[in-house]
Amino acid sequence: MMTAVKPGIVTSFLFCIFLSLFIEGATANGSIKAVKADRSLEFIDLTPYLELFRTKDKNLDVHTLVDNPLIRFSPVTEKYINLAYSNDRIWLKFNVRNESNKTIDLFVESGFSRLDFVSLHFKNDNDKWQTLSSGDRFPFEQRPLDTQQLLFPITVPAHSLQTYYIDIQSSSSLHIPLYLTSAQTLIEISEQRYWADGLFYGICLMAILVGISATLIFKQRLFLYYFLQVASVTLAIMSLDGSGFSLWPNALEFQEISVVVFQCLAGIFITLFARSYLHLKKAFPKADLVNRLFIGYAIFALISSPWLPYVIASFSIIVVESIMVVWILAQAITRAFQKYKPAYIFIAAWTLFVSAILFVTVANLGISHNYSSSTYGLKIAFAAQCIILLMGMAYRLHLYNKQQERIRQAALVARTEIKAKNELLAKVSHEIRTPLNGIMGVVDLLSETGLNKSQLDHIATIQYSGNALLQILNDILDHSKIRSGKLHIEHMEYSPREVATKVIEIFTPLANQKHLEFIDFFDERVPDKAWGDPSRLRQVLINLISNAIKFTHSGTVQLRVRFNTDINHTQRQTLQFEIEDTGPGIAGEIENKLFESFTQGAPSVSREHGGSGLGLSISRQLIELMGGEIGFKSLKTGSLFWFSLPVQKQS
C-alpha cells in the first residue's frame, strides 16, 4: 500500500533543484571564457577557449544539442586537439565577446584542411540558427570562401557575447587546430603563406625540371627515379595541405584517397631512387630483398586503396612507409662505413626527411598533437632534401664521368696495343712467309728429282709441315687484317656450284685416303649466279671441310648447299651451306666460345692435328663481313656447321 507524499517535501525538493541550477548557471556565467573581438585581432589560437563534446550520434543537430540539459561540454585542457582516427562526431563551442559599439567581422579557420565535414553554427540577428558548411568533401565553389583553407566568416554584433558551435566528422585523422582572426591579419598571414608555399613548390618544380632534363640528357634511371620521387612526394604534400584539391576540384572521391595514393607512389619511387643511388642491389643483395618486398607492398596498397576504408588504407601505408625510410637510412649509413662517398650526401638529405616523416606519422596516430608544425617541418625538410640530393647527383655524375674517362683511356690504350700487336703479327707473318715460300718451292723441285722411297717420305713430311706452317701464317695475317679493318670484301658475280665443286675436288683425295665417304648435295634451286666474294667463300668452305675431315676418323662428311627465301622478306634470298661429320663432336664447355680467336675443340687438338685455333674465328668474321650468318649444332654423332650468304647484291 503506497504512502502519500507530503506536499511540503515535494516543494522543498523542487526548490533545492532550482537553487542548485541557479547557482550553477550564475557560476558558469561568471567564469565564461571568451575571445575579445577586435578589428585588428591577431591570429588567435582558439584551443584554450574551446569546450568539447564527443558523441556516436550522427543525427544530433545543434537545436537538440543546445536544448538538452544532459549534454555537458568539457573544457579542452590539451595544447592541441588531436583525436587521431575516430568515428565520433565532435562538437566544439567557443564564445566571442564584442564590447565595442560596432559590429566586427572576423574569420574562423581550421588549420587542417583534410577534415571531411566541418560546420559552424550560430544565431543570427533574427535569433535564428545559421549554419556554414565546409570541408574536404566540398568543392571550392560550395564553401563559404573559395580557398584551400577551411574558412568561415562571422559577424559579432556590438555589445554582445556570441556563442559558436562547430561540429566535425571525418574519416581522416582528427587534427583540429582552430584559429580566430581579423580580415587584416588574415590577409597578412595569407600573403606569408603564399610566399612560403610559392618558395617550397618553386623548389619542387625546379627539382622536377632538373630531373626530367637530366633523364633526357644522360638516359640514366637514377635521374628518372629522382624526378618521379620528387613529383610523387610533392603531390602527397599538396594533398595533405589541401592545395592539391585545386588540381582535381570536382573529383571528391579521389580527394578522399589522394593522400594514400600519392604516399604509395612516393614510397615506391623513394625506394627505387635509394636503391639506384646507393647501389643497394649490388652492395646488399639479401637486405635489398626487403626493399623489393616494400615496393611490392606499396603497389598492392596503391591498387587496393580505392576499395578499403580510408582509415585502414591510410594506416597501412603510413606505418610501413615510416619503417621503410628508417630502413633505407640504415642502409645508407652502412654504405658510408664502406667508404662510399655519395652516401654521405644521401645521409645529410635523408636524415631531415626521415625526421619530418616520423613527426607527421606520430601526429597522424595521435601520439604527437601538433600536426600543423609537422606539416610545415615536412615541407622544409623535403625542400632541403631536394637541394641536397641534387648536389649528390651532381657528385654522382662527376664520379660517373671520371669513370667513363678512365674507361675511354683504357680502351684507347687497348686499341693502340692491339693495333701494334696486329701490325707486328702481320709484318712477322709476311717476313716468315716469304722465305718459307722459297723453301717450299725448292722442296717441290727436289721431289721431282730421282729420289728413293725413304727420301720421298722425308720430302712429304717437309711439305706437310711447311703447308701447315704456311696455313697458320695465312690465318694470322687474315686475322690481323680483319682486326685492323684492312680486309676488303670483293663484290662480283660468281657461281656458287662451281666454287663448292672445286673445294670438293680438293678434299676428295684426302677423304679417300682416310677411308671417309664424302657426300655432296646441291638443291636444284641453287642459282647459277650469285653476288659476293667467291675467294672468301672458298676460304670458309676450306676451313670448315678441312676441320670436318681432320677430326673425323670414320664415317661420312657431307656438304649440302640449299636455296632459301625469307618468309617475312620475299626479296631476301640466301644460300645455306651445311657441313656435317660423324666425328667426336664439340665439347660442351667450349660451345659458347667456339668462334673466338685461338679456340680449339679440346686441349689435345693442337698437339694432335696442329693449327692456330683461328680458322673458325676468321670464318665467322668473313661471313659477317659478307652479310651472312654462321653457327653450329652438336649432334648425337658428330657435329654440323652451317652458314648462309645473301644471293643478291646488298645495299
Side-chain angles (χ1 to χ4, degrees):
M1 184 174 183
M2 295 183 62
T3 305
V5 179
K6 294 182 179 181
I9 297 176
V10 174
T11 304
S12 301
F13 179 70
L14 292 176
F15 177 76
C16 291
I17 292 177
F18 174 78
L19 183 61
S20 62
L21 290 175
F22 175 79
I23 295 172
E24 180 182 348
T27 305
N29 289 330
S31 61
I32 288 178
K33 295 181 68 174
V35 181
K36 185 178 179 181
D38 193 318
R39 293 183 183 276
S40 58
L41 185 67
E42 298 295 329
F43 208 68
I44 299 297
D45 183 1
L46 283 176
T47 306
Y49 302 92
L50 293 175
E51 295 180 47
L52 182 145
F53 172 69
R54 300 177 68 163
T55 179
K56 300 290 184 183
D57 186 358
K58 305 297 183 182
N59 299 317
L60 179 65
D61 58 27
V62 67
H63 303 86
T64 306
L65 179 80
V66 174
D67 295 338
N68 190 340
L70 298 179
I71 292 178
R72 291 287 186 268
F73 280 81
S74 302
V76 175
T77 57
E78 301 288 345
K79 190 174 181 181
Y80 308 101
I81 302 178
N82 185 349
L83 306 178
Y85 294 100
S86 174
N87 288 323
D88 290 352
R89 186 174 185 178
I90 308 301
W91 285 89
L92 298 165
K93 76 172 182 177
F94 64 95
N95 301 290
V96 180
R97 188 190 303 277
N98 182 5
E99 297 177 350
S100 66
N101 55 5
K102 293 183 179 180
T103 60
I104 298 177
D105 294 327
L106 299 175
F107 294 88
V108 178
E109 177 186 290
S110 169
F112 182 54
S113 59
R114 292 286 300 168
L115 297 172
D116 292 344
F117 301 98
V118 181
S119 296
L120 178 69
H121 309 275
F122 57 92
K123 285 189 175 182
N124 58 22
D125 295 339
N126 298 323
D127 202 31
K128 301 290 185 181
W129 283 105
Q130 184 175 343
T131 300
L132 301 177
S133 296
S134 185
D136 196 37
R137 306 303 297 273
F138 288 83
F140 281 5
E141 62 270 14
Q142 295 182 16
R143 298 181 179 184
L145 293 174
D146 188 3
T147 62
Q148 70 182 55
Q149 280 82 25
L150 304 183
L151 277 173
F152 301 91
I154 61 173
T155 300
V156 185
H159 302 293
S160 68
L161 176 66
Q162 194 83 354
T163 301
Y164 297 89
Y165 293 87
I166 297 177
D167 78 281
I168 300 170
Q169 297 181 76
S170 184
S171 58
S172 64
S173 187
L174 287 171
H175 312 290
I176 313 175
L178 293 175
Y179 303 96
L180 185 67
T181 187
S182 62
Q184 181 61 37
T185 303
L186 182 62
I187 293 172
E188 295 172 358
I189 293 293
S190 298
E191 186 175 352
Q192 295 172 9
R193 286 173 177 168
Y194 291 146
W195 275 103
D197 285 346
L199 178 61
F200 168 72
Y201 289 116
I203 293 173
C204 294
L205 180 61
M206 176 199 69
I208 291 172
L209 294 177
V210 170
I212 294 174
S213 302
T215 302
L216 296 175
I217 294 171
F218 300 108
K219 304 293 191 299
Q220 292 188 23
R221 288 184 180 180
L222 174 67
F223 298 105
L224 174 64
Y225 293 151
Y226 175 79
F227 147 64
L228 291 174
Q229 70 110 4
V230 172
S232 57
V233 174
T234 302
L235 288 170
I237 293 175
M238 291 179 71
S239 297
L240 280 174
D241 68 10
S243 58
F245 200 9
S246 59
L247 301 179
W248 47 86
N250 298 316
L252 298 181
E253 295 300 324
F254 177 72
Q255 173 64 12
E256 174 71 8
I257 63 168
S258 61
V259 175
V260 176
V261 169
F262 292 126
Q263 279 183 325
C264 291
L265 291 173
I268 293 169
F269 295 126
I270 283 172
T271 308
L272 288 173
F273 173 77
R275 291 177 74 234
S276 178
Y277 184 92
L278 297 169
H279 297 297
L280 297 179
K281 182 178 180 180
K282 182 179 179 181
F284 311 118
K286 293 183 179 179
D288 188 56
L289 177 62
V290 178
N291 302 330
R292 286 179 283 170
L293 287 174
F294 171 73
I295 292 173
Y297 175 84
I299 293 174
F300 173 77
L302 174 65
I303 296 172
S304 61
S305 59
W307 292 275
L308 292 175
Y310 176 82
V311 175
I312 296 176
S314 177
F315 186 83
S316 62
I317 191 62
I318 286 175
V319 175
V320 177
E321 191 171 72
S322 300
I323 296 172
M324 192 61 205
V325 293
V326 176
W327 169 248
I328 291 175
L329 179 60
Q331 294 175 87
I333 293 172
T334 307
R335 289 290 278 150
F337 279 113
Q338 294 176 345
K339 307 300 183 184
Y340 181 62
K341 292 182 179 179
Y344 301 141
I345 301 175
F346 186 90
I347 292 171
W350 206 253
T351 302
L352 292 172
F353 189 54
V354 169
S355 301
I357 286 181
L358 292 179
F359 280 132
V360 172
T361 300
V362 297
N364 267 292
L365 299 178
I367 301 172
S368 170
H369 295 287
N370 193 351
Y371 182 84
S372 301
S373 299
S374 302
T375 305
Y376 287 123
L378 179 62
K379 290 183 177 181
I380 295 171
F382 182 63
Q385 186 210 46
C386 289
I387 296 172
I388 296 173
L389 285 181
L390 279 176
M391 294 169 22
M393 288 194 299
Y395 181 66
R396 269 285 308 271
L397 186 61
H398 169 69
L399 295 179
Y400 174 78
N401 290 335
K402 285 180 65 176
Q403 182 183 16
Q404 292 299 110
E405 182 62 27
R406 286 196 297 269
I407 292 173
R408 283 192 292 268
Q409 291 295 332
L412 180 61
V413 171
R415 285 195 298 268
T416 304
E417 291 177 350
I418 290 172
K419 182 179 179 182
K421 182 174 67 175
N422 289 337
E423 290 177 353
L424 177 62
L425 285 173
K427 186 172 183 179
V428 170
S429 299
H430 180 74
E431 295 298 329
I432 295 176
R433 190 169 58 169
T434 301
L436 181 60
N437 284 328
I439 294 172
M440 295 301 296
V442 172
V443 170
D444 289 340
L445 293 174
L446 184 60
S447 66
E448 296 175 0
T449 62
L451 300 176
N452 58 36
K453 185 178 182 305
S454 177
Q455 290 171 327
L456 287 173
D457 289 342
H458 293 322
I459 290 295
T461 302
I462 294 173
Q463 287 177 324
Y464 177 80
S465 300
N467 286 328
L469 180 58
L470 191 60
Q471 182 60 44
I472 291 173
L473 292 173
N474 288 335
D475 286 346
I476 293 174
L477 189 59
D478 285 342
H479 181 69
S480 305
K481 287 181 179 179
I482 292 172
R483 294 293 295 271
S484 60
K486 295 180 180 179
L487 185 72
H488 299 289
I489 299 296
E490 299 291 338
H491 299 280
M492 62 179 68
E493 276 192 345
Y494 71 96
S495 170
R497 189 184 297 269
E498 181 181 339
V499 172
T501 300
K502 288 184 178 179
V503 174
I504 292 170
E505 292 173 355
I506 294 173
F507 285 100
T508 298
L510 181 58
N512 293 335
Q513 184 180 346
K514 296 187 67 175
H515 306 291
L516 299 174
E517 185 179 4
F518 194 178
I519 303 171
D520 61 88
F521 168 79
F522 289 89
D523 188 340
E524 61 182 12
R525 296 179 299 161
V526 172
D528 294 331
K529 297 294 181 182
W531 189 271
D533 190 332
S535 63
R536 295 303 176 186
L537 171 59
R538 184 183 303 109
Q539 182 178 351
V540 174
L541 285 172
I542 288 174
N543 275 338
L544 297 179
I545 295 175
S546 173
N547 285 343
I549 294 176
K550 181 192 301 183
F551 297 116
T552 303
H553 302 294
S554 62
T556 62
V557 174
Q558 300 181 50
L559 168 63
R560 297 187 291 270
V561 184
R562 305 180 189 276
F563 178 79
N564 294 328
T565 301
D566 194 328
I567 297 176
N568 298 321
H569 303 84
T570 55
Q571 299 300 318
R572 179 175 171 82
Q573 299 173 336
T574 59
L575 290 171
Q576 175 117 349
F577 297 83
E578 298 175 351
I579 298 91
E580 182 179 341
D581 62 62
T582 56
I586 307 298
E589 61 270 14
I590 67 161
E591 286 186 356
N592 294 330
K593 55 181 182 179
L594 189 61
F595 288 101
E596 295 180 4
S597 302
F598 307 105
T599 299
Q600 293 184 321
S604 60
V605 168
S606 181
R607 296 192 301 270
E608 184 178 351
H609 300 284
S612 61
L614 290 172
L616 290 178
S617 174
I618 292 172
S619 298
R620 177 183 61 81
Q621 295 177 82
L622 288 175
I623 293 298
E624 290 175 353
L625 286 172
M626 291 188 286
E629 298 177 337
I630 189 171
F632 76 96
K633 295 179 182 178
S634 291
L635 307 176
K636 290 183 178 180
T637 303
S639 57
L640 183 148
F641 282 81
W642 62 269
F643 65 90
S644 61
L645 291 173
V647 175
Q648 296 95 342
K649 182 177 181 180
Q650 301 296 297
S651 59

